[in-house]
Amino acid sequence: MIYLKELGFEEDVINSLVEDLPSGAVEKLTEHQETITANINYLKELGISNYVDAFVKFYNMFLLDTTTFDSIFSKYDKDDLVIKLEKNIAIMEYL
């Protein structure tokens, strides 16, 4: 999951994910790096600076195809969404 480092993840965060997640999840995160990269970049482009926290808490969500992932966020006002996610990334579960 070295590709996460190129996306701004600290090495200790990546190591924690590898250690803490089930091996099947790590395998999926490795196999689907293009989709995950696109979804992380989408959040970054929105202006969500705590995208690493989002990924750590909701890594399964980042496995969604990019169209589905985009549609989850695009139905909300961008500025309002960014403010709410910056305050409390846990609300991502309810989007």
Side-chain angles (χ1 to χ4, degrees), residues 42-61:
Y42 178 78
L43 289 186
K44 288 169 75 174
E45 289 169 11
L46 279 177
I48 297 171
S49 63
N50 56 344
Y51 62 90
V52 173
D53 296 331
F55 183 80
V56 169
K57 284 188 175 228
F58 305 107
Y59 65 89
N60 278 331
M61 190 176 214

Side-chain angles (χ1 to χ4, degrees), residues 35-95:
T35 300
I36 292 167
T37 297
N39 289 337
I40 289 172
N41 283 332
Y42 178 78
L43 289 186
K44 288 169 75 174
E45 289 169 11
L46 279 177
I48 297 171
S49 63
N50 56 344
Y51 62 90
V52 173
D53 296 331
F55 183 80
V56 169
K57 284 188 175 228
F58 305 107
Y59 65 89
N60 278 331
M61 190 176 214
F62 289 82
L63 291 167
L64 295 171
D65 68 82
T66 55
T67 304
T68 303
F69 191 83
D70 293 359
S71 70
I72 290 170
F73 298 94
S74 65
K75 60 186 169 187
Y76 299 99
D77 175 72
K78 178 188 164 199
D79 295 331
D80 188 46
L81 179 66
V82 169
I83 290 168
K84 287 186 168 129
L85 288 174
E86 292 283 324
K87 269 187 180 178
N88 182 7
I89 201 64
I91 66 167
M92 198 165 151
E93 180 178 4
Y94 304 104
L95 298 179

Side-chain angles (χ1 to χ4, degrees), residues 27-42:
E27 190 175 303
K28 278 187 177 183
L29 294 176
T30 302
E31 288 174 11
H32 299 283
Q33 67 183 0
E34 280 185 30
T35 300
I36 292 167
T37 297
N39 289 337
I40 289 172
N41 283 332
Y42 178 78

